[in-house]
Amino acid sequence: MQANDVWLVVPLYNEAKVIGDVVRTARASFPKVVCVDDGSTDDSAARAKQAGAVVVRHPVNLGQGAALQTGFDYALTDPAMRYCVTFDADGQHQVADVEAMVDLVREGPVRVVFGSRFLDERTEASRLKRLVLRMAVAYTNLSTGTRLTDAHNGLRVLERGVVERLDITQNRMAHASEIVAQIGAMRFDGEPVTYAEAPVHILYTDYSKAKGQSLWNAVNILAELIWR
């Protein structure tokens, strides 16, 4: 069964090799996909469009945070949209995880579900990378007042009301912590926003590692958090 009230928001930068397959696989369950081409220099945009995605383009590379905000703004123009999913373009996210996370939000009472690599053992990451990411999570929890096990996983499900209130200004790595901080500060009818975590399988391939999923990327996340 296809979910017509869900938009997948996919930041897209030079992913021509894989984006067609990523979009086609996702659209089997979630037909509404918007790819924000963030100044790609290859034919990523054309391949995403050919696979059935809506493509919105940045003329220059602005960063993943800016791409997500543009995607949110586009999804909000659809009055039928109830949920947004942030979804990576490189094939590391699993559609089955998205389905489970959307079901969790639909069942309530949570408005946000964060994917976590650390709630089961499916995601294979080095011990050192796990340590660095956990340090980043600890810093984010301390600075935002939230309690998460994985604040820098790009797979999230957000209810429309939450998306309407997000205003991402951190374009680079720090945007993930900014999203968490803004969600942590939100109030609905005077009550804090309700959120949960769900276990997800992040598939680190040679391709995704080459695109920025290395240990150094985790180190960069921690550094940008501290010195932003």
Side-chain angles (χ1 to χ4, degrees), residues 21-69:
D21 288 339
V22 169
V23 169
R24 279 187 288 271
T25 299
R27 291 191 68 244
S29 298
F30 300 98
K32 295 181 177 179
V33 177
V34 55
C35 291
V36 181
D37 183 61
D38 192 32
S40 293
T41 56
D42 62 8
D43 60 347
S44 292
R47 296 196 182 192
K49 186 174 181 179
Q50 186 178 38
V54 173
V55 176
V56 180
R57 304 191 74 169
H58 289 167
V60 296
N61 180 251
L62 298 176
Q64 192 173 66
L68 286 175
Q69 187 62 57

Side-chain angles (χ1 to χ4, degrees), residues 4 32 40 48 50 67 78 81-82 108 120 123 162 173-174 189:
N4 289 302
K32 295 181 177 179
S40 293
Q50 186 178 38
D78 178 5
M81 186 274 283
R82 293 181 60 198
D120 62 23
T123 298
V162 173
M173 298 293 185
D189 298 323

Side-chain angles (χ1 to χ4, degrees), residues 136-158:
V137 170
Y139 184 91
T140 299
N141 285 343
L142 183 65
S143 61
T144 64
T146 55
R147 290 294 176 266
L148 299 173
T149 64
D150 189 0
H152 297 87
N153 183 344
L155 189 54
R156 317 170 188 87
V157 179
L158 312 165

